[in-house]
Amino acid sequence: MTKNLFIAFEGIDGSGKSTQVKLLTQKLEESGHKVYATFEPTDSPIGKMIRDIFSGRMEADHKVIAGLFVADRLDHLLNKNNGVLKMLEEGYTVITDRYYFSSYAYHSPYMSMDWVIEANKLSAELLRPDINIYIDISAEESMHRIAKGRTSTELYETLDNLKQVKNLYAEAFEKLKDVEKIASINGERTEVEIAADVWKIVADL
Ligand code: ADP
Ligand code: TYD
């Protein structure tokens, strides 16, 4: 098994995940590491199907979406060209913007969280993150940032839903605290302050 780190960023929409992935990538590269930064939903055909559903170009039941994410995640790990497992073996530190905790939080309103965890069991067995870094912001702050005009996926972005997703993240972290490494960071500070906390966590690993 590889010794390179696999780091997953989690948080509700607009929490600052991609900003922090970028900053951490720079910092690790400056320290001499090879870094592969990636994200879910991926840009594979399955990920594209998910984005088409989010943007309203395609229609699908929430249970189908949860199933598509299971498949997208397995392809994210196992893809022969640029799968995460291959990149780790090639010596890259891998940072992902979202992994299976996103599924636990976003799909549990539509089926039991245990079902979602079970459905993602193969991914968890293939690769658990060395650390899940949760960037914690309120649903109100999330809506505020989304309204400021970034390109966004609309399906799950209402205040009530984001509140629910935030609560479900907390429930998932509590449920899995004995098997997963989880760090929660206050995301309602400057990007630089958050990045400093992220760096402390990663440097410890
Ligand atoms: P995510 O990937 O979680 O959706 P982004 O990194 O894209 O989040 O950030 C969402 C929006 O919030 C962007 O407009 C970004 O510039 C802004 N943003 C990121 N981090 C912060 C922060 N610490 N404070 C205020 N705004 C932020
Ligand atoms: P993302 O592109 O990371 O959006 P954002 O930058 O707003 O966080 O994710 C797109 C959406 O996909 C987001 O609303 C969360 C959702 N999602 C799920 O519903 N299940 C999942 O397993 C994942 C990885 C994401």
Side-chain angles (χ1 to χ4, degrees):
M1 209 36 213
T2 170
K3 292 266 189 302
N4 303 306
L5 289 182
F6 175 52
I7 299 161
F9 277 87
E10 294 287 354
I12 61 174
D13 301 67
S15 53
K17 295 179 304 302
S18 49
T19 303
Q20 293 303 322
V21 168
K22 218 177 293 160
L23 293 173
L24 180 60
T25 299
Q26 282 167 7
K27 183 94 177 161
L28 282 166
E29 283 177 346
E30 281 162 21
S31 316
H33 295 272
K34 292 203 295 183
V35 181
Y36 178 60
T38 179
F39 50 86
E40 296 184 2
T42 68
D43 51 12
S44 77
I46 304 166
K48 287 197 186 98
M49 202 184 288
I50 293 170
R51 289 181 198 282
D52 280 348
I53 295 165
F54 281 161
S55 65
R57 271 194 295 274
M58 239 182 94
E59 199 270 325
D61 186 87
H62 288 288
K63 294 184 174 64
V64 177
I65 299 174
L68 286 172
F69 270 107
V70 170
D72 189 43
R73 184 158 300 124
L74 286 170
D75 186 56
H76 194 198
L77 290 173
L78 298 169
N79 191 285
K80 285 202 167 66
N81 298 318
N82 60 356
V84 170
L85 293 178
K86 179 172 187 280
M87 300 309 277
L88 285 169
E89 259 162 38
E90 287 184 3
Y92 286 87
T93 296
V94 179
I95 309 175
T96 185
D97 184 341
R98 296 192 180 281
Y99 194 48
Y100 47 59
F101 269 105
S102 288
S103 281
Y104 307 161
Y106 281 85
H107 306 304
S108 297
Y110 311 104
M111 57 255 281
S112 78
M113 187 178 289
D114 286 338
W115 187 94
V116 185
I117 292 172
E118 192 62 26
N120 281 280
K121 200 170 163 194
L122 189 50
S123 292
E125 285 170 359
L126 284 167
L127 189 62
R128 266 183 218 286
D130 293 286
I131 188 79
N132 296 280
I133 301 178
Y134 176 71
I135 306 184
D136 189 11
I137 67 166
S138 66
E140 287 80 5
E141 174 65 15
S142 165
M143 290 299 286
H144 179 66
R145 290 187 192 176
I146 291 164
K148 277 202 302 196
R150 68 190 180 89
T151 52
S152 64
T153 50
E154 282 139 36
L155 189 61
Y156 296 129
E157 291 176 345
T158 64
L159 183 63
D160 282 349
N161 193 59
L162 290 168
K163 280 184 181 164
Q164 186 177 31
V165 170
K166 187 170 153 67
N167 288 336
L168 288 165
Y169 262 118
E171 190 181 322
F173 291 144
E174 179 59 27
K175 200 186 251 293
L176 294 168
K177 64 178 183 219
D178 294 336
V179 280
E180 294 283 349
K181 282 205 174 155
I182 300 151
S184 180
I185 292 182
N186 174 2
E188 295 194 22
R189 295 172 299 152
T190 67
E191 293 174 10
V192 172
E193 285 170 324
I194 298 164
D197 276 5
V198 168
W199 185 245
K200 258 186 248 154
I201 291 164
V202 172
D204 272 355
L205 293 169

